[in-house]
């Protein structure tokens, strides 16, 4: 099973990707996490990405497509994956279609959340300064209202993410509308595209993600069976 999580910053893609990956024993591949680790480790990629991320802009398609191609080629991704944060542009989506040729279909889930709610969440979001774990939208909402002070995983201090300042958030929302939102039109006609209201409680969203994955898998099977003869499924 291959699943793509799409949506604006703060929509909860990361949280839902994490849960779905755990449920199905699949790797969660988050391009944001890959870039943050690269920044932390001071690699070439990290040095290239750091200032761009702080501003809230996108790392170039060329670089990101290379990163994802390399990651999807690894052994642990051969049985399926949950992808979070990629594609973010039409160019990246086209490249993903090419990479996925011969690897089976993928489900695209788009999380919709109003801007005011995204801004509220990103203001509240805290991550662990030691291990990088997210805290703001964790199970039981721990940290969601700022009550948690330490990382539940390692006990490290929680801090706002460096790109969650108001200026960068504003820029990311603009970039999302301009670069990523057009992907909804790119994917909408596919039988495995689903839109979910991401403004609901995280558990409710998880439930709808499970339903979407199940119905999409059924649709895929139907598509596959019928596709050989007619090429289309209603
Ligand atoms: P969010 O969804 O909250 O904006 P992410 O952790 O997904 O955060 O990404 C953080 C930053 O990493 C983005 O603002 C962008 O600069 C960079 N980034 C992540 N994925 C991509 C991508 N597919 N293409 C270009 N830049 C990316
Ligand atoms: Zn931690």
């Amino acid at each position: 099973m291959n699943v793509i999580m799409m949506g604006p910053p703060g929509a909860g893609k990361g949280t839902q990707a994490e849960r779905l990956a755990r449920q199905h024993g699949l790797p969660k591949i988050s391009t944001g996490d890959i870039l943050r680790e690269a920044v932390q480790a001071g690699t070439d990629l990290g040095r290239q990405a750091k200032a761009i991320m702080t501003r809230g802009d996108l790392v170039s398609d060329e670089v990101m497509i290379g990163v994802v191609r390399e990651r999807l080629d690894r052994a642990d991704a051969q049985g399926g994956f949950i992808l979070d944060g990629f594609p973010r542009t039409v160019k990246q989506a086209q490249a993903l279609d090419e990479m996925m040729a011969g690897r089976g279909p993928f489900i695209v889930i788009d999380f919709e959340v109003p801007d005011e709610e995204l801004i509220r969440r990103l203001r509240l979001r805290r991550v662990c300064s030691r291990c990088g774990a997210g805290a703001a939208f964790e199970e039981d909402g721990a940290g969601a209202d700022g009550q948690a002070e330490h990382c539940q995983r390692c006990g490290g201090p929680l801090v706002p993410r460096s790109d969650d300042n108001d200026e960068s958030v504003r820029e990311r929302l603009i970039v999302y509308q301009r670069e990523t939102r057009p992907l909804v039109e790119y994917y909408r006609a596919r039988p495995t595209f689903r839109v979910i209201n991401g403004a609901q409680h995280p558990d409710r969203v998880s439930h709808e993600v499970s339903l979407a994955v199940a119905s999409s898998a059924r649709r895929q099977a139907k598509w596959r069976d019928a596709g050989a003869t007619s090429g289309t499924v209603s």
Side-chain angles (χ1 to χ4, degrees):
M1 182 176 89
N2 308 305
V3 182
I4 314 294
M5 302 284 194
M6 257 180 56
K13 310 180 288 284
T15 304
Q16 297 301 330
E18 181 91 49
R19 290 182 181 192
L20 194 65
R22 219 182 304 137
Q23 275 165 27
H24 293 267
L26 293 172
K28 178 193 107 157
I29 300 175
S30 157
T31 47
D33 288 350
I34 292 173
L35 293 172
R36 276 184 291 277
E37 278 160 26
V39 169
Q40 203 86 79
T43 62
D44 276 352
L45 173 64
R47 274 195 296 275
Q48 282 181 62
K50 189 173 180 181
I52 298 171
M53 292 173 77
T54 306
R55 277 203 307 274
D57 284 341
L58 295 183
V59 175
S60 77
D61 287 336
E62 203 191 345
V63 167
M64 292 315 300
I65 290 165
V67 165
V68 170
R69 178 173 288 128
E70 188 270 327
R71 184 63 189 84
L72 295 187
D73 274 347
R74 285 202 227 152
D76 69 338
Q78 301 316 303
F81 54 79
I82 316 296
L83 192 51
D84 155 34
F86 185 98
R88 256 177 158 92
T89 66
V90 170
K91 266 229 175 84
Q92 292 180 13
Q94 288 164 340
L96 182 66
D97 279 340
E98 281 166 30
M99 289 179 224
M100 292 305 291
R103 291 182 63 137
F106 54 87
I107 300 164
V108 180
I109 298 179
D110 180 45
F111 296 98
E112 287 193 345
V113 178
D115 276 6
E116 313 80 69
E117 173 65 7
L118 297 172
I119 291 165
R120 192 187 73 82
R121 288 180 182 183
L122 293 171
R123 282 203 180 120
L124 291 172
R125 175 152 74 181
R126 297 291 179 273
V127 294
C128 176
S129 60
R130 196 181 295 157
C131 77
F137 314 124
E138 274 311 322
E139 254 90 327
D140 307 318
D145 300 303
Q147 71 269 50
E149 284 172 22
H150 297 281
C151 175
Q152 288 176 316
R153 194 198 283 171
C154 79
L158 298 178
V159 296
R161 223 169 77 178
S162 63
D163 60 346
D164 280 346
N165 62 80
D166 285 355
E167 204 179 322
S168 171
V169 166
R170 214 175 309 120
E171 177 66 13
R172 275 147 68 209
L173 291 174
I174 292 170
V175 169
Y176 170 78
Q177 286 299 335
R178 191 182 63 219
E179 305 289 340
T180 311
R181 184 80 194 155
L183 287 182
V184 173
E185 291 318 313
Y186 185 83
Y187 285 127
R188 195 189 292 285
R190 299 193 185 184
T192 54
F193 177 76
R194 294 287 184 286
V195 177
I196 287 181
N197 171 10
Q200 310 174 92
H201 188 280
D203 293 344
R204 178 73 211 165
V205 176
S206 297
H207 177 65
E208 294 193 4
V209 167
S210 298
L211 295 178
V213 166
S215 82
S216 197
R218 276 197 304 275
R219 195 88 195 273
Q220 252 165 39
K222 213 167 129 192
W223 177 271
R224 200 173 44 232
D225 295 345
T229 46
S230 69
T232 49
V233 176
S234 59

